[in-house]
Amino acid sequence: KNQVEQSPQSLIILEGKNCTLQCNYTVSPFSNLRWYKQDTGRGPVSLTIMTFSENTKSNGRYTATLDADTKQSSLHITASQLSDSASYICVVSDSEGRGGGADGLTFGKGTHLIIQP
Amino acid sequence: DTAVSQTPKYLVTQMGNDKSIKCEQNLGHDTMYWYKQDSKKFLKIMFSYNNKELIINETVPNRFSPKSPDKAHLNLHINSLELGDSAVYFCASSQPGTWTDTQYFGPGTRLTVL
């Protein structure tokens, strides 16, 4: 059974500090891995999408890493800001990307991040 | 310039009623979805439509009936609402056929069944 496990469940850090969120998956065959940010009361917004050939991808202060061998990904947030307070959801696709749509997406339960001033 | 919009944003209703949630996307995407996010914040796919045709129907009670009048709209009708239907429902769209079809989510509809 395909699974995506995220840790920690929740995290509180001070503004300006860095943090790293983890995502472990057992999804096969692997197609891509996505990180979404979901602000309270809003829909998820895509931060990064990584395919098996990509090890690191950055989007501003967000840097995602992927180790396809160990089936682990991390999302590193640098110099956190209050607006980074949100849930971060890891989603892994086993679709072959040939017009399959959402079939094969496995969602993690998210990490709830709180940035304190 | 809202990409994916949903109405209403909040819906409070009594058990047993029938209600609908509307979704529209102006991104020109071929695929649209409905997700349910429960109180534990876990997102679960319910339906997926590609060019107005149903391609995914997860284990969802048949009280839930999606309808896609055209590829820009995917509405969700729920009959005989139950307490357990209380959740946030998200509509999303994407353009499949690529390795990295990003999903764009709507703002969500918070449904509360009393």
Side-chain angles (χ1 to χ4, degrees), chain A residues 31-32 34 36 38 41-46 49 51 87 89 95-105 107-109, chain B residues 9 31 33 35 37 40-43 45 48 50 55-56 90 94 96-108:
Chain A
S31 176
N32 59 67
R34 313 142 188 242
Y36 284 89
Q38 185 176 17
R42 308 287 291 273
V45 174
S46 178
I49 299 177
T51 60
S87 287
I89 303 169
S95 165
E96 291 185 295
R98 295 175 189 170
D103 53 315
L105 284 183
F107 284 76
K109 293 187 178 180
Chain B
K9 189 164 174 62
T31 303
Y33 318 84
Y35 287 87
Q37 188 171 45
K40 296 181 182 176
K41 306 298 182 186
F42 188 49
L43 270 166
I45 189 165
S48 171
N50 189 54
I55 58 173
I56 290 177
F90 286 100
S94 72
T98 64
W99 284 101
T100 57
D101 52 316
T102 299
Q103 287 176 307
Y104 293 81
F105 285 83

Side-chain angles (χ1 to χ4, degrees), chain B residues 3-15:
Chain B
V4 182
S5 59
Q6 295 177 231
T7 54
K9 189 164 174 62
Y10 300 97
L11 186 53
V12 181
T13 187
Q14 299 282 344
M15 232 168 43

Side-chain angles (χ1 to χ4, degrees), chain A:
Chain A
K1 182 183 174 185
N2 289 339
Q3 285 188 314
V4 174
E5 303 282 345
Q6 290 188 244
S7 61
Q9 247 185 346
S10 59
L11 182 61
I12 302 174
I13 63 171
L14 292 176
E15 187 180 9
K17 297 295 185 184
N18 303 335
C19 67
T20 300
L21 314 180
Q22 298 290 346
C23 174
N24 297 341
Y25 61 91
T26 54
V27 175
S28 184
F30 174 84
S31 176
N32 59 67
L33 182 147
R34 313 142 188 242
W35 282 95
Y36 284 89
K37 178 188 178 191
Q38 185 176 17
D39 292 313
T40 301
R42 308 287 291 273
V45 174
S46 178
L47 291 175
T48 66
I49 299 177
M50 302 182 75
T51 60
F52 64 88
S53 60
E54 296 173 301
N55 299 119
T56 304
K57 200 171 224 184
S58 290
N59 178 1
R61 294 178 297 102
Y62 299 101
T63 299
T65 65
L66 175 64
D67 186 334
D69 292 330
T70 61
K71 299 188 178 183
Q72 295 180 326
S73 176
S74 65
L75 181 68
H76 186 75
I77 304 175
T78 305
S80 61
Q81 300 177 357
L82 296 179
S83 60
D84 293 332
S85 294
S87 287
Y88 292 84
I89 303 169
C90 177
V91 184
V92 182
S93 171
D94 66 30
S95 165
E96 291 185 295
R98 295 175 189 170
D103 53 315
L105 284 183
T106 305
F107 284 76
K109 293 187 178 180
T111 291
H112 187 54
L113 176 64
I114 297 173
I115 311 297
Q116 288 187 337

